[in-house]
Structures are given as C-alpha cells and as structure tokens.
Amino acid sequence: MKHQVITVALSLAFVGLALAAGQYRRAALIGATTCTFTALGSMLVLSRSVRNAEKPLKPALLVMTVAFLARILLVALGTVFVARAGENVFAFVVAFFVPYFAFSAVEGAYLHSLRRYTGRAA
C-alpha cells in the first residue's frame, strides 16, 4: 500500500510542477500527465496481479514489461502530438522522463518487496 501512496504523491507533485512551467506549461503538462496516468495504471494493475498469485514475480514482471512498452508508444505519440501542436518538444520529453525514472524506482522498490514471496524452490 505504501508504494501506491508514494505513486499518488509523486503524481500530484509532478503535475503541480508541470503547471508551474510558465510558457512551456502545456507541453510539460501533457508529458507529466501521460507519465502519471501510466504510473498509476501500472501500480494498480501491478498490485492486483500479484495479490493472489503463488509466485507474484512472474505477473509483476509481465505488468512492468507491458507498462514499459505502453510508455514507449505513448512517448512517441506524445512527441508527434506536441510537435504538430507547435509546443516545445523538449519540455514534453523532460516532463515525461523525469517522472518516469521516479516512478520506475517506486515500481522497482515494489518489485523488490515481493522477493520474499518467490514460491518454493525447485
């Protein structure tokens, strides 16, 4: 539960920082909210997928892989969208990847917390 709370707190902080980005606010807000929604969705699915699993690392790694691929797609689509809208692409990329690394650390910490539930040794 603490990892989900940390994710929500970081989400609010990053969206707040994007709102304070001045003239680059729109591009930064698109980047921060895109990353925030993927992080919140990833943590939600991650916590639900490991809830009743005998070996929770397998579904957790699958969720993290799918979330990573979704983020790659969304950052590519977001970059095209921001560029076509005439906004600052650099602001979008920074506002996406700075939170991405923070959220990845939280997801990694959550994954690390599952290490004691690896199941029986073969």
Side-chain angles (χ1 to χ4, degrees):
M1 183 71 172
K2 73 177 181 177
H3 296 95
Q4 291 85 351
V5 172
I6 292 170
T7 302
V8 170
L10 284 174
S11 298
L12 294 174
F14 285 125
V15 170
L17 285 172
L19 286 172
Q23 65 184 9
Y24 306 115
R25 180 181 309 145
R26 190 173 306 151
L29 195 57
I30 292 169
T33 55
T34 302
C35 190
T36 294
F37 283 131
T38 60
L40 292 172
S42 175
M43 284 304 288
L44 177 69
V45 173
L46 193 60
S47 63
R48 287 183 181 223
S49 68
V50 301
R51 186 175 297 158
N52 294 322
E54 182 179 321
K55 293 185 174 186
L57 288 179
K58 286 183 180 182
L61 288 173
L62 177 65
V63 168
M64 288 184 72
T65 302
V66 170
F68 176 76
L69 295 173
R71 286 176 177 144
I72 288 174
L73 179 65
L74 287 174
V75 78
L77 292 174
T79 302
V80 170
F81 175 76
V82 167
R84 288 198 176 181
E87 298 294 329
N88 190 322
V89 175
F90 184 72
F92 168 78
V93 170
V94 168
F96 184 90
F97 280 107
V98 170
Y100 168 74
F101 290 119
F103 291 132
S104 292
V106 174
E107 289 172 359
Y110 184 71
L111 191 65
H112 188 267
S113 72
L114 298 174
R115 72 188 182 285
R116 54 186 168 241
Y117 305 110
T118 56
R120 295 187 326 243

